[in-house]
Amino acid sequence: MNIALDRNISKESLNKMIACFKPEFKDYKAGETIIQFSYEIKNIGIIIKGKARLVGINADGEYIITENYTSRDVFGELFSFPLEGYEYYVEAVEDCQIIYLDYNHTISPCDNVCPHHSQLISNLFYLTAQKSQALTLHLNILNQHTIRKKLLTYLQYIQGKTGEDTFEIPMSLVSLAEYLCVDRSALMREIRLLKKEGILESNRRTFTFL
Amino acid sequence: MNIALDRNISKESLNKMIACFKPEFKDYKAGETIIQFSYEIKNIGIIIKGKARLVGINADGEYIITENYTSRDVFGELFSFPLEGYEYYVEAVEDCQIIYLDYNHTISPCDNVCPHHSQLISNLFYLTAQKSQALTLHLNILNQHTIRKKLLTYLQYIQGKTGEDTFEIPMSLVSLAEYLCVDRSALMREIRLLKKEGILESNRRTFTFL
DNA sequence: TAAATGTTGTGGCAAATGCCACATTTATAT
DNA sequence: ATATAAATGTGGCATTTGCCACAACATTTA
């Protein structure tokens, strides 16, 4: 298991846990479909390595990208309720390694007096809380009413994380437009204006506040 | 404790748990400030009864409503990372009853061999997963690029939940505009157009798909 | 019952945004 | 090294959306 999920768990404990929970480890190649969402099964997936994303397609063939996942992210029906009329599946963007846990098995009291159980669930709780943080951040940004405010809110967040005056955003401007939910050319225009007004300096993914 | 948090926990167990976790129960009157977010403390709040909301104010006095809470919702710094430059606090919208748990105490292994510990955390995990579901739904709706699509996505979700042809949305049109992150009069205009095009029928909060 | 407050509904106009087409640079694959 | 694809950057134009002001109706309070 990875560092996030095995916080405070020793190697011997780990082996007992694996015996107890029977987690499934799986590998996927970039482009592969990892899992299709169902209304029945409650799989808990945890990304160990690589990148994946959740996409939804409706009857008209319109598709929406709903979430992007990197290592330590949790996913599954439990966390993302599917919208009516969409088919959902998770696909690998890069080569991925993933752990699956079954919700019912994970959550039900352990037959063995298993001290690791509590630790696993508490780690899972922590990962889920982090997911909630990321979603809340995204919502706060989308709640901003103009492209300018969305962009500045995002940039200030990234700058605050790095602490540096000059910083680089962790995605392309194409992806940023998608994340901010705005048209890419409109985003470029806004960046141009901010530069003209002397509010920031930028070159491709690198930004500096003035 | 309430039905969500005490799933599968008997009354005797409950008393032992209360002794073990020392949760704080507090009541608030409508309008009161419940808690101010800090970067240090990690309180886990759970709404037992009533309604509350998280609001943020920046230096310019602009404020954003970031989340609305009802019973069974969890809140706290752990779940909602504050944006740089905003002050955050939770305020009661209606009279509220709230449980507080301290994260570190909740998450750390119990001194007593406490079987309830695992159950509490697993319930907390479940609540957090549900929060994540609600946030994901909201994000999916905001990801729609037009007012029409946002509105229809929301209405289809509500209709899917009730199963009825004619259904009532659980908030005012003022709040709906806020939730969809669009101007209220623009929302009204869009509803008018959808009616004119024969796509739906509506009167105030009541809608019917045709 | 009256007054005050909140919600729903409409219309005009200005501003912000999206859409499209294209040039240029950078990264990737063969 | 070259071809291909992906990302960045710009400009014009149409459309959507937001903003504002106001009327009608509903709900709560005095």
Side-chain angles (χ1 to χ4, degrees), chain A residues 62 66 77-79 83 103 107 125-126 128 131-133 135-137 139-140 143 145 149 153 181, chain B residues 62 66 77-79 83 103 122 125-126 128 131-133 135-137 139-140 142-143 145 149 181:
Chain A
E62 294 178 294
T66 46
E77 297 88 352
L78 193 61
F79 311 105
L83 284 178
Y103 172 69
I107 229 64
F125 166 61
Y126 186 75
T128 309
K131 183 191 186 71
S132 156
Q133 271 197 358
L135 294 172
T136 301
L137 171 67
L139 269 178
N140 279 320
N143 264 319
H145 291 315
K149 281 187 181 174
T153 304
C181 208
Chain B
E62 294 178 294
T66 48
E77 297 89 352
L78 193 61
F79 310 105
L83 284 178
Y103 173 70
S122 113
F125 167 61
Y126 185 76
T128 309
K131 183 192 186 71
S132 157
Q133 272 197 356
L135 293 172
T136 301
L137 171 68
L139 270 178
N140 278 320
L142 295 193
N143 263 319
H145 290 316
K149 281 187 179 174
C181 208

Side-chain angles (χ1 to χ4, degrees), chain A residues 126-187:
Chain A
Y126 186 75
L127 290 182
T128 309
Q130 285 197 313
K131 183 191 186 71
S132 156
Q133 271 197 358
L135 294 172
T136 301
L137 171 67
H138 198 171
L139 269 178
N140 279 320
I141 289 170
L142 296 192
N143 264 319
Q144 306 292 324
H145 291 315
T146 62
I147 294 181
R148 171 169 298 216
K149 281 187 181 174
K150 284 179 187 171
L151 174 61
L152 288 177
T153 304
Y154 175 76
L155 291 180
Q156 277 157 20
Y157 165 75
I158 297 295
Q159 202 239 358
K161 267 210 323 190
T162 65
E164 306 293 326
D165 284 356
T166 297
F167 55 95
E168 190 165 320
I169 61 173
M171 58 175 115
S172 70
L173 295 174
V174 175
S175 304
L176 179 60
E178 221 167 60
Y179 180 80
L180 301 181
C181 208
V182 299
D183 182 74
R184 190 191 60 82
S185 72
L187 173 62

Side-chain angles (χ1 to χ4, degrees), chain A residues 140, chain B residues 35-38 54-57 64 66 81-84 86-90:
Chain A
N140 279 320
Chain B
I35 197 174
Q36 183 146 17
F37 272 31
S38 82
L54 173 62
V55 297
I57 298 189
I64 45 172
T66 48
F81 195 78
L83 284 178
E84 212 69 34
Y86 277 86
E87 286 276 303
Y88 285 83
Y89 56 93
V90 178

Side-chain angles (χ1 to χ4, degrees), chain B residues 119-187:
Chain B
Q119 186 66 50
L120 175 82
I121 296 171
S122 113
N123 291 354
L124 214 46
F125 167 61
Y126 185 76
L127 290 181
T128 309
Q130 285 197 312
K131 183 192 186 71
S132 157
Q133 272 197 356
L135 293 172
T136 301
L137 171 68
H138 199 171
L139 270 178
N140 278 320
I141 288 170
L142 295 193
N143 263 319
Q144 307 291 324
H145 290 316
T146 61
I147 294 181
R148 171 169 299 215
K149 281 187 179 174
K150 285 178 187 172
L151 174 60
L152 288 177
T153 304
Y154 176 75
L155 291 180
Q156 278 157 21
Y157 165 74
I158 296 295
Q159 201 240 357
K161 268 211 322 189
T162 64
E164 305 293 326
D165 284 356
T166 297
F167 55 95
E168 190 164 321
I169 61 171
M171 56 176 116
S172 71
L173 295 174
V174 175
S175 303
L176 179 59
E178 221 167 60
Y179 180 80
L180 301 182
C181 208
V182 299
D183 181 75
R184 190 191 60 82
S185 71
L187 174 62

